[in-house]
Amino acid sequence: MSIADALRESPGADRGAVAGRAAVLSSPGGVFSIEEITLQKPRRDEILVRVAGVGVCHTDVVCRGDFPVPLPIVLGHEGAGVVEAVGAGVTRLRPGDHVVLSFDSCGACPNCARAAPSYCFNFMAANFGGVRPGDGSTPMSRRDGGAVNARFFGQSSFATHLIARERNAVAVPKDAPLDILGPLGCGIQTGAGSILNSLRVGRGDAVAIFGAGAVGLSAVMAARIAEAAHVIVVEPNPERRALALELGATAALDPRSTEDVVAAVKAAGPGGVTHALDTTGIPAVIGSAFQTLLPNGQLGLVGMPPPDAALPVNIMDMLARGVGVKAYVEGDSDPEIFIPQLVGYYLDGRLPFDRLVKRYRLEDINQAFDDTTTGKSIKPVLVI
Ligand SMILES: [Zn+2]
Ligand SMILES: [Zn+2]
């Protein structure tokens, strides 16, 4: 479909409405169907974006499955594209700008006020509610007029077009490959941000990263940017271990063939690590990660655990070594600042996240989900 076609006013719709296609999920655990949709024109603080590409993140997989989101819905929260139209109150962006979409936040709570939007008090409503938090409306409808929830992470980017807020869109340089930049808005940002913003890894530090998916491998690249002396990866998949070494890991351990993973991590570093990051959410792995910490070490948690999982940590052990454990959301990123920084790292060759990307067509979204679930694809990106 040409842009001109896509931007034509659809018959019977609001003036300025836009026709497009989207991958709609209508039942929990169901398959996506590509449907003709109509988007309202952007409201005062909103922008209309023609999507160039969108990554598939683990959170999309979880929300297609058990996690309760309102149906029907368009998922997708790693979108990137070109601004086509802006609302009357938009000041930072203009049509033609290239943008990466990130998570949404309210902008009014204490954490938003202190530039920590990933800990927004209203994060759940803004990102998982599926509708505009203010009035419960959605900008998208099916051709029969039925509403489709289309504010997932303020974007719902498994679509040719989307409505986002100016607040969750970040302008990026036009010399970067727009079709694959979307994952900078969540998965890459989470991995790299956990190392650079949350754990604040520095020169000479020793880092252990558990799990080498898109988040873990982004953490590996960031640890090299931070000039960590030891970057130790624990990952059962041999191809991912090999890729981790190519991306800068100093050691890559197979937990399935290593009898004592904790001892092996300690041996690969200076008797332990200053920082550990768990991307798996597996309680036993988190327990091992905790044991690898040197005194005053820090363990970050970013993996999605089973709903009833508890921390397998001995409190006296924690006190004796003075170690910390904290969950991090979106790598403590303020996307407006951090995403351009990540694009800069990519352009100067220090964050080659394109090595993780496999491209799919929007029509092949169900295959992309299968491939990320089975581990065949580290970071699927639907190129629109
Ligand atoms: Zn907030
Ligand atoms: Zn995500």
Side-chain angles (χ1 to χ4, degrees):
M1 182 187 297
S2 72
I3 300 170
D5 281 343
L7 287 172
R8 77 186 188 278
E9 290 181 16
S10 46
D14 299 345
R15 184 170 163 70
V18 170
R21 288 174 299 130
V24 181
L25 180 71
S26 297
S27 62
V31 295
F32 297 98
S33 63
I34 307 297
E35 299 189 19
E36 303 285 319
I37 54 91
T38 301
L39 280 173
Q40 297 168 353
K41 67 178 180 182
R43 291 186 177 179
R44 185 171 175 77
D45 65 338
E46 293 177 341
I47 60 173
L48 169 69
V49 175
R50 175 171 54 82
V51 180
V54 48
V56 175
C57 176
H58 186 64
T59 303
D60 295 307
V61 176
V62 171
C63 288
R64 182 182 66 161
D66 296 337
F67 195 88
V69 288
L71 299 171
I73 193 166
V74 174
L75 300 174
H77 64 288
E78 291 187 345
V82 180
V83 176
E84 295 282 1
V86 302
V90 170
T91 57
R92 275 193 302 108
L93 299 170
R94 62 181 64 176
D97 282 351
H98 288 190
V99 288
V100 168
L101 289 320
S102 192
F103 61 89
D104 201 4
S105 55
C106 76
C109 74
N111 283 347
C112 283
R114 62 172 71 103
S118 68
Y119 302 107
C120 174
F121 286 16
N122 302 299
F123 190 90
M124 291 304 289
N127 293 289
F128 293 94
V131 294
R132 295 182 178 101
D135 64 1
S137 65
T138 175
M140 186 184 287
S141 56
R142 286 174 154 141
R143 283 303 168 83
D144 66 4
V148 178
N149 295 290
R151 287 299 295 261
F152 185 66
F153 278 73
Q155 51 183 291
S156 289
S157 39
F158 291 152
T160 59
H161 299 78
L162 60 82
I163 295 285
R165 293 172 69 209
E166 180 181 37
R167 181 169 173 78
N168 69 310
V170 179
V172 291
K174 291 185 177 173
D175 55 344
L178 186 62
D179 64 335
I180 61 166
L181 291 187
L184 296 180
C186 187
I188 313 285
Q189 168 171 267
T190 296
S194 294
I195 295 295
L196 298 172
N197 304 326
S198 311
L199 290 168
R200 295 187 171 276
V201 171
R203 180 179 298 172
D205 283 343
V207 187
I209 295 161
F210 293 79
V215 173
L217 290 169
S218 300
V220 168
M221 292 184 271
R224 294 303 289 178
I225 291 170
E227 300 182 38
H230 303 271
V231 183
I232 303 152
V233 168
V234 180
E235 162 63 48
N237 180 315
E239 289 165 17
R240 294 185 180 196
R241 285 200 305 277
L243 183 53
L245 291 169
E246 288 177 34
L247 294 174
T250 55
L253 308 173
D254 179 1
R256 292 191 178 147
S257 65
T258 305
E259 197 168 322
D260 186 340
V261 170
V262 173
V265 170
K266 288 181 175 179
V273 295
T274 54
H275 304 84
L277 182 68
D278 175 72
T279 71
T280 71
I282 301 169
V285 174
I286 291 169
S288 294
F290 178 81
Q291 293 299 332
T292 66
L293 292 173
L294 289 164
N296 201 28
Q298 299 289 327
L299 167 60
L301 306 180
V302 298
M304 186 84 80
D308 58 351
L311 267 183
V313 163
N314 179 283
I315 299 171
M316 179 55 86
D317 193 12
M318 199 170 175
L319 282 168
R321 288 184 292 142
V323 294
V325 182
K326 188 181 184 305
Y328 299 125
V329 179
E330 299 280 354
D332 283 77
S333 305
D334 184 346
E336 183 67 26
I337 295 166
F338 195 52
I339 288 175
Q341 198 178 323
L342 293 175
V343 173
Y345 289 142
Y346 172 77
L347 291 175
D348 72 15
R350 291 195 283 169
L351 188 77
F353 71 90
D354 55 319
R355 300 279 309 274
L356 318 182
V357 166
K358 185 174 177 193
R359 289 175 166 87
Y360 297 78
R361 301 179 310 152
L362 178 62
E363 289 72 16
D364 297 327
I365 182 171
N366 292 301
Q367 185 66 51
F369 269 66
D370 287 350
D371 288 356
T372 192
T373 306
T374 59
K376 268 174 72 177
S377 180
I378 297 173
K379 175 52 73 180
V381 172
L382 310 175
V383 175
I384 310 297

